[in-house]
Amino acid sequence: MPNIAFVNGRFMALAKARVSVEDRGFQFGDGIYELIRTYGGRLYHFKDHLERLEQSAQAIGLPFVYSTSRWKAVLEKAHAQSGYPDAKVYIQITRGEAPRDHSFPKKVHAGVIVTVRKLAPLRPELREKGASVITVPDLRWGRCDIKTINLLPNVMARQKARSAGAFEAIFVRDGLVMEGAGTNLFAVIQGRIVTPPKGPAILPGITRDLVIAQAREAGDPLMEKGITLEELLAAGEVFLTGTTTEILPVVKVDEKTIGDGKPGRITRRLYRQFLQTTRP
Ligand code: PDD
C-alpha cells in the first residue's frame, strides 16, 4: 500500500512526486492547505474542510480551481489507490509556477497537490495518561484564521515542544493562550468548557466546531472567550483538538500539573462521544 500523490492532474506514488523550483509555494510560501483524515476509508467532514479551503483561497486571492465534485473525485481516487483505511489526505494549492517576483503573476496557473499518507495513530499511552505542553510567544502573523502553508512559527514552536519532551506548544499572545502549533485549545474552568473565540488569531478548527456542537448538545455549559495563561494553569481540565489529534487530554502545562494530573472526566466523555461520530 503506497503513499500517493496527485500533482497538477496526475496521480503517482508520493516518492515520485515533484514540484518546480519556480512554484510560488516553494519560493514564497504562497499557498494554502487542508488536512482531511479518513476513518475506515471514508473522508471525515469533507465538506467542512473544503469550505474552509475555499475561504483560505478567497482570503489570499487565489482561484479555487476545482468544483466540489471534482475535489471529491480526486481525493477518493488518490485514497483508493493508497488502500489505507485510515489516512491523512492533504490538499495544497499554491499560486503556481512563475518567474520569481513578489507580486502575483498576470496569469495564475494554480499548483494543486494532494497527498495521501498512512495515518500513524497517537501512542495509546498518550491518550490514556494525557499529554504535556509548553507555552511559547505567538510570533505568527495577523491572519492565523487562514490555513496557509507558511508554517515556520508553527514549525519552530513544535520543535521547541519536542525538544522539551512535550507534545504541543501553545501560542500566547498578550497574556492570552490562543491555540497549539497544530491544534485548538480548550479548558474546563470552574465546571465550564471554555475555548478562545474565532477571529484572526486562531484557525477555526473543524474538530473545534464538532466538539462545541457536541458539548452544546449534551447540555454542557460552554463559552467562547479569551483564556489567560493564569486561568489555563489553574484549569480543572485542559484538552487539545485537531484532525489527527482528535481530542487529547493535557495534564501538564509548562511543568504545572493540571487538575489531579489525570485526563479529566469531561474530556474523556467528549472523546467517547467524538469516537461515535467517526464510525459508519
Ligand atoms: N492542523 N490550529 C492550527 C494552527 C492547526 O494547524 C490545526 C490543524 C488546528 C486544528 O484544526 P482541525 O480541527 O480543523 O484539524 C488548529 C492540521 C492537523 C495540520 O496542520 O496538519
Side-chain angles (χ1 to χ4, degrees), residues 5 8 112 129 161 219 223 228 239 252:
N8 297 322
V112 179
K129 296 198 171 149
M223 253 186 106
T228 65
F239 62 92
K252 218 182 230 187

Side-chain angles (χ1 to χ4, degrees), residues 86-115:
D86 293 339
K88 293 194 285 190
V89 181
Y90 276 91
I91 305 176
Q92 283 167 269
I93 312 177
T94 72
R95 214 178 305 273
E97 207 179 323
R100 194 179 197 282
D101 179 16
H102 283 64
S103 58
F104 296 177
K106 279 209 177 65
K107 203 158 172 25
V108 172
H109 301 284
V112 179
I113 294 168
V114 172
T115 58

